[in-house]
Amino acid sequence: MCRLLKKPSGPFRVLHSAAALRARRRLSKSRAGEFRKAYQYLRRRTKLMQYHQYQRQNLPIGSGVTEAACKTVVTQRLKLSGMRWMKQGAQTILNLRVALLSGIWQPLYRGFLETHNANDLRTYGPSPKAFIRQAA
């Protein structure tokens, strides 16, 4: 059925085939309930399952792109040896990483600087002047 889904009117063809097959077989109550649930699931999502059109537009239809993005964005940064994260800290790092990897870091950073007063941007640790004096 996966191949059939990728053809024009694929979801409709799968539903039609499933209904025809169901008419030829007797199912127990539990199996009939499972069939009905799966059939309704597909029926409600046919508008989202236009894989033939997606392929014509060169859009990915599998989960590989999403899984690769998760590995690149999340795993490579958050799962380094010995790291532990609180939810808020991990989300902050992921937001910054997505901005960097998507190529919007510079405009995002410029916009941030334009909307914040220099006095609002507090740094922690020694002041730059103290650091320069200490380095000299």
Side-chain angles (χ1 to χ4, degrees):
M1 291 294 152
C2 287
R3 286 190 194 141
L4 196 55
L5 278 173
K6 295 176 186 175
K7 295 186 182 285
S9 302
F12 173 76
R13 295 166 117 184
V14 168
L15 289 171
H16 182 72
S17 178
L21 187 60
R22 169 67 178 97
R24 284 186 264 148
R25 294 200 174 165
R26 283 187 47 86
L27 298 176
S28 67
K29 267 189 176 178
S30 64
R31 289 281 193 159
E34 289 174 17
F35 174 85
R36 211 172 16 262
K37 186 177 177 182
Y39 187 89
Q40 292 302 322
Y41 177 89
L42 290 173
R43 195 174 67 73
R44 282 191 301 269
R45 289 166 177 78
T46 55
K47 290 181 182 175
L48 303 173
M49 298 168 51
Q50 302 304 314
Y51 301 121
H52 179 70
Q53 290 177 0
Y54 301 153
Q55 284 181 318
R56 284 189 14 220
Q57 296 170 6
N58 292 322
L59 295 173
I61 62 171
S63 63
V65 173
T66 304
E67 290 174 21
C70 287
K71 182 178 179 184
T72 301
V73 174
V74 180
T75 305
Q76 288 180 354
R77 180 60 180 94
L78 296 184
K79 293 186 177 181
L80 295 175
S81 179
M83 289 191 167
R84 294 184 185 188
W85 298 92
M86 299 293 284
K87 187 175 180 178
Q88 185 178 3
Q91 187 62 58
T92 300
I93 291 299
L94 291 177
N95 292 346
L96 294 170
R97 187 157 171 80
V98 167
L100 179 67
L101 294 174
S102 64
I104 63 166
W105 176 265
Q106 289 299 327
L108 189 69
Y109 186 62
R110 262 191 306 266
F112 175 80
L113 292 177
E114 289 171 3
T115 59
H116 288 78
N117 184 339
N119 294 331
D120 294 338
L121 302 175
R122 306 211 189 285
T123 58
Y124 299 97
S127 69
K129 288 181 183 177
F131 181 74
I132 291 171
R133 270 187 262 125
Q134 186 180 5

